[in-house]
Amino acid sequence: LARLGTSGILRRPNVSYSDLDVHQQMLADQIRTGAFERANTATVKPGDSVADFGCGTGILSFFAAKAGAAKVYAIDDSPIIRAAHRIAVANSFSAVTFFEGKDIALPEPVDVLVSEWMGHFAFKEPMLSPLIKLRDRSLRPGGIMIPRRISFRAALVGDERLHDDLSYFRRRPWGVDFSPLAEWPFAQTPVRRFTEAQLLPGDIDLGHLEMATCSSQPPVLEGSYVPQSEAQVFGIAGWFDADLSEGESFSTGPRAPATHWYQVFFPIPHPVTIKPGMNVAVRIQPFEVTGANNLHWRWRLAVDDKAIDMDDLTYQLWLRSRDKPIVGRPD
Ligand SMILES: C[S@@+](CC[C@H](N)C(=O)[O-])C[C@H]1O[C@@H](n2cnc3c(N)ncnc32)[C@H](O)[C@@H]1O
């Protein structure tokens, strides 16, 4: 698992799948990889044909080959697939054929389509749309998807210390007025591991995705919360649960053993007090922006008729809005 910084916030550079570290981190995630191994063993029948979308080092393809698949089509658009090919040769996984590229047409329909496509809070990586395209083109009617369902969940964050961490620039560090960027930390979505004590009791159901039938990424994830007692809210924690196959599932949530996905923190700039009887609604919207570092989030916390709307793109656009270096004195 990646290391946490002193504030407990994981600062991860953008993932590059040609780096080895990220593959080690995924392989070493016992909860993730163990669940995929058991799901492959239980699902793939001797003689089946299997596609592995986003094969990385090839591990899920090798599980399918071990389970007796006659043909495994391993697809990836990162050069890591060349390493996967060599690993297949070293281990005599002769059933596996590799396809390097994005938009691959397979030679035949497959019985099983396996893909570990989920990023942080599932959508941090833009793999769902090409996976759906491959499913519609290459999974035979009645074929099986692994995972078969992804559910989205959230909890309200009640730990003031997290808010204090994000308020650093509001406190005039070194006697300097940092107000032009003081609100920026609240418009970021750090990945972190929450403890039970940092959250208000009760999970919020934000809906789910049926992998066999979904036609696109859900445009918004929405749910509501019923306060049991008065509390202050400092933001939202979001995560997903994965149902891989009959009896094989795992949670990436804060109340389950840690996985490398941790949870995503959606902060709000000012705390909100909630009380029993109030309507509390959460809305989280993933969106892709071409040329703006792929996937971003909008989030809303609404209490009765007051809503707080945030996004993690505005400050990035602000920083990139000047095409020439700034020279000159402040106005
Ligand atoms: C989360 S990793 C999973 C790797 C491997 N299946 C495992 O379980 O360890 C996702 C992989 O999908 C690949 N990928 C991402 N987008 C892709 C696309 N559009 N087409 C093909 N491969 C893609 C990445 O290069 C990466 O190796």
Side-chain angles (χ1 to χ4, degrees):
L1 298 181
R3 282 186 295 277
L4 292 175
T6 47
S7 64
I9 292 179
L10 184 75
R11 303 261 177 225
R12 179 188 290 187
N14 286 323
V15 168
S16 164
Y17 284 114
S18 34
D19 289 345
L20 191 53
D21 286 3
V22 64
H23 292 283
Q24 179 171 341
Q25 191 184 50
M26 291 187 292
L27 291 172
D29 183 336
Q30 298 292 328
I31 291 170
R32 178 202 89 115
T33 311
F36 269 95
E37 181 182 35
R38 290 186 294 275
N40 262 286
T41 307
T43 307
V44 175
K45 302 284 171 259
D48 274 356
S49 54
V50 178
D52 172 8
F53 180 66
C55 67
T57 54
I59 188 68
L60 307 186
S61 295
F62 306 149
F63 290 157
K66 279 187 174 180
K71 278 271 168 211
V72 184
Y73 302 110
I75 303 162
D76 207 294
D77 66 351
S78 152
I80 193 70
I81 195 170
R82 295 166 193 215
H85 177 245
R86 288 196 180 180
I87 299 163
V89 172
N91 288 273
S92 306
F93 285 123
S94 54
V96 187
T97 310
F98 292 89
F99 294 84
E100 182 174 359
K102 263 195 190 310
D103 202 13
I104 301 293
L106 294 179
E108 58 169 340
V110 292
D111 302 299
V112 179
L113 172 50
V114 62
S115 182
E116 199 281 74
W117 59 271
M118 299 83 76
H120 297 294
F121 201 14
F123 295 121
K124 192 60 197 173
E125 285 173 43
M127 284 183 71
L128 184 59
S129 304
L131 173 62
I132 290 172
K133 197 168 163 194
L134 180 69
R135 180 200 68 192
D136 292 348
R137 202 162 52 188
S138 297
L139 186 63
R140 72 159 169 77
I144 298 172
M145 296 288 288
I146 306 174
R148 58 183 189 175
R149 185 178 306 111
I150 301 292
S151 306
F152 307 101
R153 310 195 73 78
L156 299 181
V157 176
D159 185 350
E160 189 164 11
R161 285 170 304 175
L162 303 183
H163 181 80
D164 290 344
D165 275 355
L166 300 179
S167 304
Y168 174 78
F169 290 106
R170 291 175 173 173
R171 295 193 288 267
R172 295 181 61 92
W174 306 103
V176 174
D177 175 5
F178 276 90
S179 56
L181 54 67
E183 302 309 303
W184 185 359
F186 297 93
Q188 298 192 109
T189 48
V191 172
R192 60 168 299 132
R193 171 81 177 152
F194 286 93
T195 63
E196 178 94 47
Q198 293 175 317
L199 303 172
L200 303 189
D203 291 355
I204 303 169
D205 179 3
L206 298 178
H208 66 269
L209 205 55
E210 290 293 344
M211 295 305 301
T213 51
C214 64
S215 56
S216 62
Q217 184 167 295
V220 286
L221 309 172
E222 289 182 287
S224 57
Y225 182 78
V226 180
Q228 301 296 318
S229 54
E230 183 170 329
Q232 280 207 301
V233 179
F234 301 95
I236 306 157
W239 68 91
F240 68 90
D241 295 346
D243 178 0
L244 301 190
S245 62
E246 188 67 45
E248 198 56 62
S249 60
F250 62 86
S251 171
T252 68
R255 309 186 217 273
T259 69
H260 78 289
W261 282 286
Y262 295 108
Q263 296 88 45
V264 177
F265 183 21
F266 300 94
I268 53 172
H270 301 285
V272 171
T273 302
I274 59 169
K275 296 177 184 172
M278 286 181 156
N279 285 317
V280 181
V282 164
R283 187 163 89 177
I284 299 176
Q285 180 185 8
F287 65 103
E288 275 179 56
V289 181
T290 318
N293 198 5
N294 56 61
L295 199 131
H296 291 271
W297 301 99
R298 290 191 186 96
W299 60 102
R300 164 179 284 194
L301 178 72
V303 179
D304 287 342
D305 53 359
K306 278 197 177 155
I308 301 163
D309 286 295
M310 303 294 296
D311 72 77
D312 65 1
L313 180 63
T314 304
Y315 276 89
Q316 295 206 14
L317 293 181
W318 170 61
L319 285 182
R320 289 173 208 188
S321 60
R322 295 173 188 271
D323 51 6
K324 286 193 200 138
I326 298 173
V327 273
R329 289 175 303 172
D331 303 328

